[in-house]
Amino acid sequence: MMQVRDFARTIALTGLLAAGTGAFAQSATSTNAAPPPPPAKTATAPAPAAADMQAVLDAIAALGPKPIETLTPVKARIQPSAADGAKAVMRAKGMSTAPDPAVVTMDKPYGDDPMQFGRIYKPAAANAATPLPVIVYYHGGGWVIADVNTYDAAPRLMAKQLNAIVVSVEYRHAPEFKFPAQHEDAAAAYRWVLQNAASWGGDPAKIALAGESAGGNLAVATAIYARDNGLAAPVHILSVYPIANSAKTLPSRMDSANAKPLNGAMLPWFGYYYSKTMADQMDPRVNLVKANLRGLPPTTIVNAQIDPLRSDGETLAQAMRAAGDKVEQRTFPGVTHEFFGMGPVVRGAYDAEQYAFGQLKKAFDKAK
């Protein structure tokens, strides 16, 4: 029996290697596709987190998540999230974790697949006679895990604080649908919002793009799509800790290799499942620093210090400035990936949210 298992494992590992290259082939489209062999471990310790951020990390750990990089997608999708950790801290402090009733939601489809829908957040007390600014928001999760439910905090807070309509876009996930399906869905959703915003009480002249992590990538990539396809340009882009640079030796890939809740080993895990070939990871829609970035709207990039993707945002800002775009980028100290939306319990998150929302408000005011 042991020999049979060993033989099966040998065959499986052999199938992971591209012939003659030593590079990993990409996964099958099954959600049960086995994970790739993990990269070599490093002993690098990440920077210490601020006490309130560490409390969230401790709460996540107490929920007993298994390392994402060791799991199949179907199992990874049911692991406790960073949002679950933040809610645990809120409950421990006696704070409510119920959705803020000041914002109401409705789900509407923009495509035929069940995952192609937008969750529309709107202030409950909105004046029907006054069109509201609109934010198209893309959630994170490496294009493999998470959904609009996981990433509820930021769009709900945006809608309330900016008195805006926020459309949180759900899109098809990998490995069932591999790259560029997620980028195609992001673009289709943006077209749909442009066409329908007015019917929801939105102002089509005041539409911004926003997103976190993989969604931060989609926000910028969709602005590029809009430019190249003659669509109305968003008035602003908010990109929070985006995937933007496919280089393997960025500073944050090294100093935050063992960070939580996102570590360096998870990045190739996501790539293994979302891409059809290794070349997909160098496509300018993923590797944004190599895209044509000229003529994009004013952009705000938010990063966390303790995050393997920190250098992605920093180098994206450099590339956008070199292309002549107006861009501001800030890296917030003592916080980790996924901190955005944790303002009730993490001061660094509160500061980042106020900064980002302030940038959006200035853009909407300027668009009058």
Side-chain angles (χ1 to χ4, degrees), residues 168-190:
S168 183
V169 176
E170 191 55 270
Y171 46 81
R172 292 170 296 170
H173 286 58
E176 304 98 304
F177 299 92
K178 288 175 172 277
F179 174 83
Q182 298 74 35
H183 288 75
E184 292 170 346
D185 287 358
Y190 182 65

Side-chain angles (χ1 to χ4, degrees), residues 6 97 100 117 132 154 187 200 286:
D6 288 346
T97 60
D100 190 334
F117 69 90
L132 302 179
W200 306 327
V286 175

Side-chain angles (χ1 to χ4, degrees), residues 142-143 178-183 213-214 216-218 220-222 224 239 242-248 250 253 267 270-271 274-293 309 312-313 315-316:
W143 301 307
K178 288 175 172 277
F179 174 83
Q182 298 74 35
H183 288 75
S213 197
N217 170 285
L218 293 177
V220 177
T222 302
I224 295 172
S239 185
I243 295 172
N245 193 325
S246 298
K248 309 297 184 186
L250 297 170
R253 297 285 198 277
L267 299 180
F270 286 122
Y274 77 69
S275 53
K276 296 174 185 174
T277 70
M278 292 297 290
D280 286 345
Q281 297 175 37
M282 301 307 296
D283 187 286
R285 286 167 289 185
V286 175
N287 191 33
L288 289 172
V289 295
K290 297 300 184 182
N292 175 6
L293 299 169
L309 293 182
D312 288 57
T315 56
L316 176 60

Side-chain angles (χ1 to χ4, degrees), residues 49-110:
D52 51 6
M53 185 76 246
Q54 187 61 51
V56 174
L57 298 178
D58 292 344
I60 298 170
L63 296 173
K66 297 178 181 178
I68 293 292
E69 65 271 19
T70 68
L71 303 175
T72 63
V74 70
K75 291 183 178 180
R77 290 172 184 171
I78 61 173
Q79 294 304 300
S81 68
D84 293 326
K87 288 179 181 179
V89 173
M90 291 174 69
R91 286 191 291 268
K93 292 178 175 291
M95 303 166 68
S96 173
T97 60
D100 190 334
V103 176
V104 295
T105 66
M106 58 180 174
D107 292 354
K108 288 185 174 293
Y110 65 86

Side-chain angles (χ1 to χ4, degrees), residues 250-329:
L250 297 170
S252 64
R253 297 285 198 277
M254 308 302 172
D255 63 47
S256 296
N258 293 311
K260 296 292 183 181
L262 180 69
N263 61 43
M266 290 168 65
L267 299 180
W269 183 91
F270 286 122
Y272 175 70
Y273 287 110
Y274 77 69
S275 53
K276 296 174 185 174
T277 70
M278 292 297 290
D280 286 345
Q281 297 175 37
M282 301 307 296
D283 187 286
R285 286 167 289 185
V286 175
N287 191 33
L288 289 172
V289 295
K290 297 300 184 182
N292 175 6
L293 299 169
R294 293 187 180 276
L296 294 184
T299 299
T300 300
I301 300 174
V302 170
N303 286 104
Q305 176 194 11
I306 313 165
D307 183 356
L309 293 182
R310 184 191 71 244
S311 296
D312 288 57
E314 294 170 347
T315 56
L316 176 60
Q318 294 168 2
M320 294 185 75
R321 291 189 190 105
D325 300 325
K326 182 180 179 181
V327 57
E328 288 191 26
Q329 185 275 336

